[in-house]
Amino acid sequence: MKRFLDKGWQDSMRITFDFNNMMFESLGEQGFKWEQIEELDPVLKRAAASMEAKRKAGGMAWRELPYNQGEIVQDIINTAEEIKSKFDNFVVLGIGGSALGPIAVQQALNHIYYNELPKEKRGGYPRLYVVDNVDPERMEGLFDIIDLEKTVFNVITKSGSTSETMAQFLIITSLLKDRLGENYKDHIIATTDKEKGNLIKIAKEEGLKTYYIPDGVGGRFSELCPVGLLAAAACGINIEELLAGAAYMDDIVSQRDPYKNPAYMAATLQYLAMETGKNISVIMPYADSLKYMADWYAQLCAESLGKRFDTEGNEVFVGQTPVKALGVTDQHSQIQLYTEGPFDKVVTFLGVGNYRAEMKISEGYEDIPAVSFLGGHTMNQLIHAEQLATEYALLKAGRLNNTITLPEVNAFTLGQLLYFFEVQTAFAGELLNIDAFDQPGVEEGKNATYALLGRPGYQDKKAELDARPKKKDRYII
Ligand code: PA5
């Protein structure tokens, strides 16, 4: 039996949410009293009911991804095997929600130096590159390390029109056509909306292999659909286990009672924090494998919850600024500020029970006890101790912090974590009474880019830009 189907194994891999250090009993006056949460009871109940109603009405399609992709998952697994037999490199062309998930999942679940490993140590799977920018140096650099003939490109864009992604697509298709003629098609897979946008038109006309991003699944909520699943499977990640982890978490975070629902509780505490001016949300994994989960979380938090208007059109200007930190590295750069600076943050630690390696610290320098005390311990003990020590330093300084612990990092726990944060974010959106699924601020920048580069239909936007205040030389020194 596959381990992710075994209930005992699943329960042993349940991730936990510890919010002791958000509470008055532990933290003192900066912490929240249980009564404060109870006072919110009607709001929480309304938010929970709204989550359920929206899901029932099909308004949260991303929540069904663990269940409704049987055929697609099989197709992706088969495609991944084909890719493995033909290609050395798998390159994602995409940005934002079409890139951060694939990066985070790869970093978490594959060897930390995956791309540097020889092919046999990668299980025969291709290297993965995610080109999520339009920096010409990076693009040119890519061509120095990949052989186009041994590379497949997965162009991912929900809207099918994002300038960055379409620019990359234009460059790649032109190069491939020059080199391979008609065979270029075998080197491109499009992942996009099934009807809307330009990419689907091109894909249909040119007969490209295509995966669809389901309706109602927006960029930052799309990691568990083909956006993330193809790149993961192509690099040997067990996507069935990833989805099983998400389904397992869905059971936990579908409980209406916020006192039993860790995602609802996490959102509630962040909501209370925002009400008291803690408008910075620091995410601090204590594992290099989870480093890019912080990037993924940062987008989810910023783009979903940073909003000017509530659902009634009132100006509210809400949202926490996400900050990424890495334990223990950033203990030596940011923690000073977090313990002694302004009381404006909530720190969320991402801890790991068992790391996938154990590294013993060698004995030595017995004549220098301040060094030799480390010998005989393991790095595992050291990193755990440092996480605890930082948590304690924040507690002592009266700083709000909480901890999510993964028993170990694997596809099942990562699926749980992705799903947990998505539900937390959606519930926070309900509490703030905002639309967590739009991104008008991002669209504004996209439209301005179209206008500046002369996209037809954007003349008014161009005129608007041209009318912006002229820069004064005296302010440029
Ligand atoms: O979460 C979002 O919706 C955005 O970050 C998008 O993912 C990002 O702007 C890229 O958009 P698209 O997938 O349409 O190219």
Side-chain angles (χ1 to χ4, degrees):
M1 179 163 66
K2 291 171 177 165
R3 64 178 187 176
F4 61 83
L5 299 175
D6 173 349
K7 183 81 178 94
W9 185 82
Q10 290 182 344
D11 291 343
S12 73
M13 286 296 145
R14 178 180 172 151
I15 70 173
T16 55
F17 174 58
D18 172 358
F19 58 100
N20 274 281
N21 294 348
M22 300 290 283
M23 304 306 291
F24 176 80
E25 289 105 305
S26 297
L27 202 68
E29 59 167 323
Q30 291 293 328
F32 303 120
K33 299 208 169 110
W34 194 244
E35 302 84 78
Q36 281 176 271
I37 300 175
E38 282 174 340
E39 271 165 32
L40 278 179
D41 215 46
V43 180
L44 300 182
K45 288 211 170 93
R46 218 174 20 248
S50 173
M51 290 280 286
E52 278 175 29
K54 282 183 184 160
R55 184 173 189 179
K56 239 188 216 141
M60 287 201 188
W62 51 273
R63 291 205 64 171
E64 314 312 330
L65 296 174
Y67 311 107
N68 61 8
Q69 298 188 98
E71 267 177 45
I72 296 157
V73 165
Q74 209 37 62
D75 185 304
I76 287 176
I77 292 172
N78 297 341
T79 303
E81 285 310 303
E82 212 181 307
I83 288 171
K84 178 179 168 182
S85 67
K86 289 191 189 152
F87 298 107
D88 289 342
N89 308 299
F90 185 98
V91 178
V92 171
L93 308 176
I95 197 162
S98 299
L100 293 166
I103 297 171
V105 168
Q106 166 79 351
Q107 172 83 5
L109 300 180
N110 268 338
H111 191 285
I112 210 101
Y113 297 112
Y114 177 83
N115 277 357
E116 277 79 32
L117 292 174
K119 194 167 181 173
E120 16 359 310
K121 290 204 171 167
R122 282 185 267 121
Y125 290 98
R127 296 182 201 90
L128 176 76
Y129 297 99
V130 181
V131 190
D132 62 343
N133 205 348
V134 284
D135 180 333
E137 293 179 20
R138 179 154 165 211
M139 197 73 191
E140 191 182 73
L142 180 72
F143 300 129
D144 290 333
I145 56 166
I146 61 166
D147 173 359
L148 280 181
E149 292 186 23
K150 298 296 283 174
T151 303
V152 62
F153 295 88
N154 181 200
V155 52
I156 309 177
T157 166
K158 166 90 176 169
S159 62
S161 62
T162 301
S163 302
E164 295 88 341
T165 308
M166 295 314 283
Q168 293 170 343
F169 175 71
L170 284 166
I171 294 169
I172 295 300
T173 40
S174 149
L175 282 173
L176 286 172
K177 281 177 183 170
D178 284 354
R179 176 82 72 89
L180 306 167
E182 261 307 286
N183 289 341
Y184 83 94
K185 289 178 192 162
D186 302 337
H187 293 249
I188 301 185
I189 300 173
T191 304
T192 189
D193 191 273
K194 69 174 176 305
E195 278 161 11
K196 286 180 245 141
N198 306 309
L199 183 61
I200 191 62
K201 268 189 230 138
I202 299 171
K204 277 185 180 157
E205 270 166 34
E206 305 202 0
L208 302 177
K209 166 105 184 144
T210 306
Y211 286 103
Y212 299 127
I213 305 175
D215 287 343
V217 176
R220 54 195 178 275
F221 289 85
S222 69
E223 174 51 25
L224 296 171
C225 80
V227 167
L229 297 181
L230 180 60
C235 295
I237 287 167
N238 187 338
I239 57 172
E240 290 177 303
E241 188 170 300
L242 190 73
L243 290 169
Y248 180 81
M249 182 49 68
D250 183 31
D251 256 4
I252 298 168
V253 297
S254 292
Q255 299 180 80
R256 201 174 237 212
D257 182 350
Y259 305 97
K260 294 195 180 125
N261 182 325
Y264 285 6
M265 184 51 74
T268 303
L269 293 165
Q270 296 283 4
Y271 174 72
L272 280 172
M274 281 186 254
E275 286 206 318
T276 52
K278 273 88 176 170
N279 282 319
I280 298 176
S281 168
V282 178
I283 179 98
M284 188 164 189
Y286 268 75
D288 280 17
S289 62
L290 298 176
K291 180 173 177 178
Y292 295 109
M293 273 304 293
D295 288 58
W296 177 84
Y297 168 84
Q299 186 209 8
L300 187 69
C301 165
E303 223 168 282
S304 305
L305 304 180
K307 296 289 152 72
R308 175 175 173 183
F309 296 109
D310 68 12
T311 54
E312 276 114 52
N314 305 306
E315 279 193 330
V316 286
F317 298 108
V318 292
Q320 285 172 309
T321 303
V323 174
K324 303 171 283 175
L326 179 67
V328 306
T329 309
D330 287 312
Q331 284 179 211
H332 300 270
S333 87
Q334 299 181 26
I335 288 297
Q336 171 60 31
L337 172 72
Y338 299 168
T339 49
E340 295 195 350
F343 287 81
D344 56 1
K345 300 170 194 68
V346 180
V347 177
T348 299
F349 296 110
L350 288 184
V352 175
N354 290 313
Y355 291 82
R356 289 163 292 187
E358 187 175 81
M359 184 61 60
K360 208 162 179 249
I361 303 172
S362 311
E363 315 264 356
Y365 301 98
E366 300 306 330
D367 52 327
I368 315 176
V371 172
S372 65
F373 80 97
L374 291 165
H377 288 293
T378 60
M379 273 191 159
N380 309 53
Q381 290 170 326
L382 182 59
I383 196 166
H384 277 141
E386 297 213 37
Q387 184 185 333
L388 193 73
T390 305
E391 191 187 303
Y392 174 69
L394 290 178
L395 175 73
K396 196 173 163 192
R399 307 308 167 120
L400 292 172
N401 68 89
N402 55 66
T403 302
I404 297 168
T405 304
L406 286 70
E408 73 177 28
V409 179
N410 59 41
F412 190 75
T413 55
L414 201 75
Q416 289 182 62
L417 188 63
L418 291 161
Y419 204 86
F420 173 92
F421 278 138
E422 288 178 356
V423 174
Q424 175 188 333
T425 305
F427 193 71
E430 294 293 336
L431 296 178
L432 293 165
N433 192 26
I434 51 145
D435 183 347
F437 305 105
D438 67 358
Q439 54 283 322
V442 177
E443 306 303 340
E444 179 61 32
K446 284 189 179 183
N447 292 338
T449 306
Y450 298 148
L452 286 169
L453 291 189
R455 179 171 163 181
Y458 287 80
Q459 292 84 344
D460 288 352
K461 183 54 76 181
K462 176 76 169 61
E464 185 189 311
L465 271 152
D466 288 344
R468 71 193 184 279
K470 296 277 163 287
K471 291 207 170 170
K472 296 188 173 58
D473 285 344
R474 73 185 155 114
Y475 295 136
I476 304 173
I477 53 176

